[in-house]
Amino acid sequence: MDLSSTLPMLLGLAVLLPLASFFVILLVGPRLGKHGSGAAWVAFGAIAGAGVLSFASMALWLTQHYPSGESHHGESHAAAPVNSNVLPLRFVSLKVENVSKPAADDHHDGRAHGDDHHGDAHGRHGKAAYTGEYYVLGQFGDLRISIGYYIDALTVCMFCMVTFIASLIHLYAMGYMHDELHDVHDHEVTLPGGHHLHRPGRFHRFFQALSLFCFSMLGLVLAGNIAMVFCFWELVGICSYFLIGFYVERKSASTAANKAFIVNRVGDFGMIIGLMAIWSALGTFNFGDVEVDGRARPGLFSLMKRTENPDHTTSFHVPDGAVAFASSKKVGEAVRALGPDADQAAIAEATQRVIAEVRQESQSQGRPTPGYWLMVIAGVGIFCGCVGKSAQFPLHTW
C-alpha cells in the first residue's frame, strides 16, 4: 500500500470529521433529539470516527516503519537530494535560486523529508516522513501559502492520543452537562430585580464548540507548514474562549475567558515575530521539502540542520539564508559589482562566496556566525506562543 497517498487521505478525513460535526450542530443542533441531546452523539461519533481513522493510520504506519534499535546511518535514502542553499535574497531586490556551491561548513547529507506533492519517504523503521500540499491558497512572489501536511511517526502517534482522549472527554461531558438539557436556573447570576437568571439550556452549543476545538487540535497536528500551525493555533484560542466563557452570564466565567484571550494574544504576538524572522531568514514556511514548479525546495527541517564536529559533537548550522540576510549589505555590494548584465548563476556564485567569507571570518574571530541571533529570535518568538497557550510563567495568570 502506498502510504504517501493513503495516510494524507485518512488523516485529512480524520481532521474534517469534527469540522463536519461542528457545522451539523451549528445548523440543526436544537433539533437533534429532545432539547438537542443528539448533538452530543453527533460530536462523539465524529471524534470516535476520527479515532478509528487515526488508529488505522497507525497500523498502516507500523507495517512499513516499525521502530528498530538497529543503526541505519549507512543506508541509502529514497528521497532525492535537495539543494538546501536556496537563498531568499529579496533584500537585494534580486531572485537567487539553485545555488549549487555548498558553504564551507556545510555537511548536509542531502536527505529530504519528502520532495513531491504527494510526499515521499526516506529511510526505514520509523524514520520516514511524508509531506505535500492539499491545496495552494496563493503565491505572492517567493511566499507560497498552502494547506499542506507533514506526517511522521510523531504525527500518527499524536492523532491517536488526541482522538482517544477527546472521545473520553465527550463521553464524560454528556453527563457533566446534563443540566443544560433543560431550562437552567442559574443561582450564581443575580439580575437587577434580585431574581436569579432563568434561561433555556444550550447543551448542543457546548458540543458545537467542542467539535470545533477537536478540529483545531487535529489540524494543528497535521499542519505541513508553520503558517498553518499559526492559523490552527489561533483557532484553538478562540475555541478556548468559547468553552471557558460558556456560562457567559457569570462574571467569573466572562472575566476568565477575557483574561485567557488577552494573555494568549500576548504570546501570539511573540509567535508572529518568530514567523517574520523565519520567513526573512529561510524564505519558506514548509516543514518538509516540497516540489514547486518542477524544482525541489527545502523545508525548515532540511535548512535547520546540525553540523557534525570532528570531536563527535554537534553544533547548530546557521542556514545560508540567515547569513545572507544578516550580511545583506555585503551581499548587495557583491551583486551590484557584477553589473546589470549578470545572470542568476553569477549572482548565486557571488552570494555564496560572500557567505563563505563571512562564515570564515566569524569563525576565525571566534564570533557567532551572522544570522545566529536572528534564528534565536525566531525560536524564542515561536516559544512565546507555547508559553502563552500552556500558561507558563510569566503568561501563567490566565
Side-chain angles (χ1 to χ4, degrees), residues 29-39:
R31 297 190 291 275
L32 292 173
K34 187 177 181 180
H35 302 293
S37 60

Side-chain angles (χ1 to χ4, degrees), residues 229-250:
V229 167
F230 180 74
C231 292
F232 283 111
W233 196 264
E234 292 302 299
L235 197 54
V236 168
I238 293 173
C239 295
S240 298
Y241 175 79
F242 290 151
L243 292 170
I244 295 171
F246 180 77
Y247 298 104
V248 64
E249 298 87 0
R250 299 179 184 177

Side-chain angles (χ1 to χ4, degrees), residues 364-376:
S364 62
Q365 296 178 359
R367 295 185 290 105
T369 304
Y372 174 80
W373 289 109
L374 181 63
M375 304 313 300
V376 170

Side-chain angles (χ1 to χ4, degrees), residues 41-273:
W41 291 106
V42 172
F44 173 75
I47 193 62
V52 171
L53 294 173
S54 300
F55 280 95
S57 299
M58 172 67 81
L60 292 175
W61 180 274
L62 293 177
T63 60
Q64 297 189 25
H65 306 289
Y66 192 80
S68 171
E70 298 178 3
S71 175
H72 302 282
H73 294 294
E75 294 181 353
S76 60
H77 295 264
V82 175
N83 186 356
S84 65
N85 297 315
V86 180
L87 306 179
L89 301 184
R90 298 170 302 283
F91 42 85
V92 294
S93 301
L94 290 167
K95 186 175 181 181
V96 178
E97 298 179 345
N98 295 327
V99 180
S100 57
K101 185 185 293 183
D105 60 346
D106 189 348
H107 302 289
H108 184 43
D109 58 6
R111 284 176 281 186
H113 292 277
D115 60 358
D116 58 57
H117 289 287
H118 299 291
D120 200 353
H122 70 271
R124 296 181 301 177
H125 304 287
K127 294 186 177 182
Y130 304 92
T131 184
E133 297 173 334
Y134 291 115
Y135 183 76
V136 178
L137 297 174
Q139 186 159 350
F140 313 95
D142 290 340
L143 178 59
R144 184 181 179 91
I145 303 297
S146 64
I147 300 175
Y149 57 86
Y150 184 88
I151 302 172
D152 58 6
L154 181 61
T155 304
V156 178
C157 182
M158 288 300 298
F159 257 82
C160 294
M161 185 180 73
V162 169
T163 54
F164 177 70
I165 295 177
S167 298
L168 298 181
I169 292 173
H170 277 68
L171 289 174
Y172 178 81
M174 290 180 189
Y176 186 79
M177 300 300 294
H178 72 280
D179 289 344
E180 294 292 329
L181 288 171
H182 312 285
D183 290 349
V184 175
H185 295 272
D186 197 335
H187 295 282
E188 296 189 27
V189 180
T190 303
L191 301 177
H195 303 289
H196 295 296
L197 175 68
H198 175 77
R199 61 169 176 81
R202 40 185 185 235
F203 184 81
H204 68 281
R205 193 178 298 178
F206 178 84
F207 287 93
Q208 172 186 321
L210 200 56
S211 288
L212 186 62
F213 188 91
C214 292
F215 162 72
S216 307
M217 284 293 297
L218 294 178
L220 187 62
V221 175
L222 186 62
N225 57 74
I226 202 166
M228 277 183 66
V229 167
F230 180 74
C231 292
F232 283 111
W233 196 264
E234 292 302 299
L235 197 54
V236 168
I238 293 173
C239 295
S240 298
Y241 175 79
F242 290 151
L243 292 170
I244 295 171
F246 180 77
Y247 298 104
V248 64
E249 298 87 0
R250 299 179 184 177
K251 183 175 177 57
S252 59
S254 61
T255 300
N258 290 333
K259 190 175 184 180
F261 188 84
I262 294 171
V263 171
N264 274 281
R265 296 297 75 75
V266 175
D268 292 343
F269 180 74
M271 193 172 186
I272 292 175
I273 294 176

